């Protein structure tokens, strides 16, 4: 039988092509009002972000472990909650999302200017700074852009999830994966400390790294969160299709491969 890893990667490559196609279909079929472009740009961008992150995870099996995958999955969960909350009031919340991001860009420019001035390198980086300011100006004049040091939504992620009807997703996905992303004790103690086998050391832990093999479960979760995004979009925007969702097609292909592999093992 052809190498199992090659077959899995082939299936994942087909899945990636599939979700790219589904995104394009949804975008092209969405009737747009150019008087309120913010809605379409934010929603379309968030969908594309979910797919982009997932593509990179699926293309690199060295990330399919408890050290790296949870950080990526947490980002996917955060992205989903953002979209779910925005779609409860698309225009107002899309604008909040954009204005906060522009404010953060303005703040970053200010920090960079200060650093370049102190190092005497501002003049030689003038074109770069102007390009960053022009990017803001193309959407909202820099002098009108406010810098908000709070959260973009002005409420906690948990509150966003509650208001968007996805608190279970927050509790079972976002919060647990945040432990990894924020390098908290209940992740570090499990993954980066090894307990001494010597009873005289009183269970003392030393720095280390648990070696973990690639776990396809993390791939499945990422694809599941893309599917959740498609389902949410289809419900809120009103998109429908007779095609199987890519996640279902992926499962069918993996199950078929598993059956083939089991038969070869028996023989």
């Amino acid at each position: 039988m052809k190498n199992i890893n090659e077959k899995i990667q082939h299936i994942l490559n087909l899945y990636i092509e599939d979700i790219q196609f589904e995104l394009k279909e949804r975008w092209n079929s969405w009737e747009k009002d150019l008087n309120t472009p913010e809605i379409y740009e934010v929603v379309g961008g968030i969908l594309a972000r979910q797919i982009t992150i997932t593509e990179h995870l699926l293309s690199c099996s060295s990330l399919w472990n408890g050290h790296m995958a949870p950080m990526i999955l947490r980002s996917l969960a955060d992205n989903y909650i953002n979209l779910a909350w925005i779609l409860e009031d698309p225009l107002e919340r899309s604008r909040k999302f954009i204005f906060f991001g522009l404010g953060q860009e303005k703040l970053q420019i200010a920090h960079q200017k200060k650093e370049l001035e102190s190092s005497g390198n501002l003049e030689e980086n003038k074109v770069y700074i102007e390009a960053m300011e022009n990017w803001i100006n193309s959407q909202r004049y820099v002098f009108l852009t406010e810098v908000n040091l709070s959260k973009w939504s002005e409420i906690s992620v948990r509150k966003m999830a509650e208001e968007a009807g996805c608190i279970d997703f927050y509790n079972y996905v976002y919060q647990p994966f945040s432990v990894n992303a924020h390098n908290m004790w209940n992740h570090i103690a499990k993954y980066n400390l090894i307990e001494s086998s010597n009873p005289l050391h009183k269970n003392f832990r030393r720095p280390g790294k648990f070696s973990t093999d690639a776990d396809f479960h993390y791939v499945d979760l990422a694809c599941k969160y893309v599917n959740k995004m498609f389902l949410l979009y289809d419900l809120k925007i009103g998109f429908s299709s007779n095609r199987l969702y890519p996640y279902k097609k992926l499962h069918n292909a993996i199950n078929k491969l598993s059956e083939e592999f089991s038969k070869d093992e028996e023989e």
Side-chain angles (χ1 to χ4, degrees):
M1 180 181 181
K2 187 178 179 180
N3 184 283
I4 186 71
N5 292 328
E6 290 180 9
K7 288 210 166 196
I8 290 174
Q9 194 57 61
H10 176 68
I11 291 172
L12 294 180
N13 290 341
L14 291 178
Y15 170 80
I16 289 171
E17 291 178 7
D18 213 4
I19 57 177
Q20 290 173 339
F21 173 81
E22 290 295 339
L23 172 60
K24 184 177 180 180
E25 286 291 292
R26 282 163 175 77
W27 178 257
N28 289 340
S29 69
W30 194 4
E31 187 175 344
K32 302 168 187 70
D33 180 357
L34 296 184
N35 292 312
T36 55
E38 303 96 328
I39 298 173
Y40 311 99
E41 292 177 349
V42 169
V43 172
I46 289 176
L47 281 171
R49 176 66 176 164
Q50 196 82 341
I51 287 172
T52 300
I53 295 173
T54 300
E55 287 178 7
H56 284 282
L57 175 64
L58 269 54
S59 300
C60 186
S61 60
S62 64
L63 299 176
W64 304 353
N65 58 70
H67 294 288
M68 302 304 299
M71 288 190 286
I72 298 171
L73 294 170
R74 196 263 197 184
S75 181
L76 293 175
D78 188 48
N79 204 38
Y80 175 84
I81 293 171
N82 282 347
L83 182 62
W85 192 74
I86 287 169
L87 287 176
E88 293 299 308
D89 187 0
L91 182 57
E92 177 65 24
R93 293 177 179 179
S94 289
R95 286 174 173 168
K96 276 181 179 285
F97 189 76
I98 291 171
F99 293 161
F100 181 84
L102 294 177
Q104 292 299 297
E105 188 79 359
K106 180 179 179 178
L107 180 61
Q108 183 61 32
I109 292 171
H111 288 323
Q112 290 192 334
K113 277 184 175 180
K114 185 177 180 180
E115 173 63 26
L116 290 170
E117 284 174 354
S118 64
S119 63
N121 296 318
L122 181 59
E123 189 60 31
E124 62 188 76
N125 288 279
K126 186 177 180 181
V127 173
Y128 170 66
I129 295 296
E130 288 179 350
M132 294 177 68
E133 290 176 334
N134 288 338
W135 183 80
I136 298 177
N137 281 325
S138 69
Q139 302 168 75
R140 184 179 177 86
Y141 289 123
V142 172
F143 69 87
L144 292 177
T145 301
E146 297 180 357
V147 176
N148 185 348
L149 299 179
S150 182
K151 297 179 174 65
W152 77 266
S153 63
E154 300 177 341
I155 58 176
S156 68
V157 177
R158 180 181 180 83
K159 185 65 175 175
M160 290 170 64
E162 287 176 346
E163 292 185 2
C166 55
I167 189 62
D168 287 346
F169 186 67
Y170 173 90
N171 288 335
Y172 299 137
V173 176
Y174 180 89
Q175 189 60 32
F177 287 149
S178 294
V179 170
N180 172 291
H182 293 304
N183 305 304
M184 295 172 66
W185 172 250
N186 46 332
H187 181 83
I188 287 176
K190 296 173 184 176
Y191 284 85
N192 291 105
L193 290 172
I194 300 174
E195 189 174 297
S196 173
S197 59
N198 189 333
L200 297 178
H201 291 171
K202 298 180 179 179
N203 300 320
F204 186 73
R205 299 178 179 90
R206 61 177 174 80
K209 179 180 76 71
F210 283 104
S211 179
T212 54
D213 295 328
D215 187 345
F216 194 81
H217 174 63
Y218 292 115
V219 171
D220 182 66
L221 289 177
C223 297
K224 182 178 181 180
Y225 303 158
V226 170
N227 195 60
K228 281 181 67 68
M229 191 78 91
F230 280 147
L231 289 170
L232 175 67
Y233 174 93
D234 294 354
L235 175 65
K236 294 294 186 177
I237 304 302
F239 178 84
S240 62
S241 169
N242 293 324
R243 296 185 301 274
L244 280 178
Y245 280 90
Y247 185 60
K248 179 63 175 177
K249 291 164 68 175
L250 172 66
H251 266 245
N252 289 344
I254 291 295
N255 289 338
K256 182 179 179 181
L257 179 61
S258 178
E259 291 174 2
E260 292 175 0
F261 183 73
S262 295
K263 288 180 181 177
D264 283 358
E265 287 288 290
E266 290 174 1
E267 294 174 358

